[in-house]
Amino acid sequence: MADTTRITVTLTAELVAALKELTDDVSGYVAEAAARELRRRLVEAEEKHGVFTEAEPADARSRIGGHTRAGASAGRSSR
């Protein structure tokens, strides 16, 4: 099972009610929706800028975590 982290998200009462009509697992539903959006944005970025090199996702994860890799200059491969 994947590691999980509990967070608090504020949604309108109407949205929560609609989600509960769709599923008994609102958390799982929201997690899948977020994952789908992240995949969509990745595909969009690759279509705009080219396929990511192997080093770029790791570099991005380290930057998001607040750490930058010294000398990171991996370029995108062209299509």
Side-chain angles (χ1 to χ4, degrees), residues 11-25:
L11 304 171
T12 64
E14 294 82 9
L15 183 54
V16 172
L19 288 169
K20 287 183 176 181
E21 287 182 20
L22 292 174
T23 182
D24 291 331
D25 182 11

Side-chain angles (χ1 to χ4, degrees), residues 24-46:
D24 291 331
D25 182 11
V26 172
S27 182
Y29 188 93
V30 171
E32 178 54 36
R36 189 171 42 252
E37 176 63 13
L38 290 171
R39 286 190 299 270
R40 184 194 68 77
R41 287 181 182 211
L42 176 62
V43 168
E44 186 177 89
E46 287 185 333

Side-chain angles (χ1 to χ4, degrees), residues 1-78:
M1 183 174 181
D3 289 337
T4 60
T5 300
R6 181 178 291 257
I7 64 167
T8 300
V9 177
T10 303
L11 304 171
T12 64
E14 294 82 9
L15 183 54
V16 172
L19 288 169
K20 287 183 176 181
E21 287 182 20
L22 292 174
T23 182
D24 291 331
D25 182 11
V26 172
S27 182
Y29 188 93
V30 171
E32 178 54 36
R36 189 171 42 252
E37 176 63 13
L38 290 171
R39 286 190 299 270
R40 184 194 68 77
R41 287 181 182 211
L42 176 62
V43 168
E44 186 177 89
E46 287 185 333
E47 287 173 350
K48 183 176 181 181
H49 302 288
V51 177
F52 292 105
T53 66
E54 287 186 33
E56 285 179 307
D59 184 54
R61 280 190 291 277
S62 70
R63 289 172 186 266
I64 290 168
H67 307 288
T68 58
R69 199 175 67 205
S73 61
R76 299 196 190 289
S77 60
S78 60

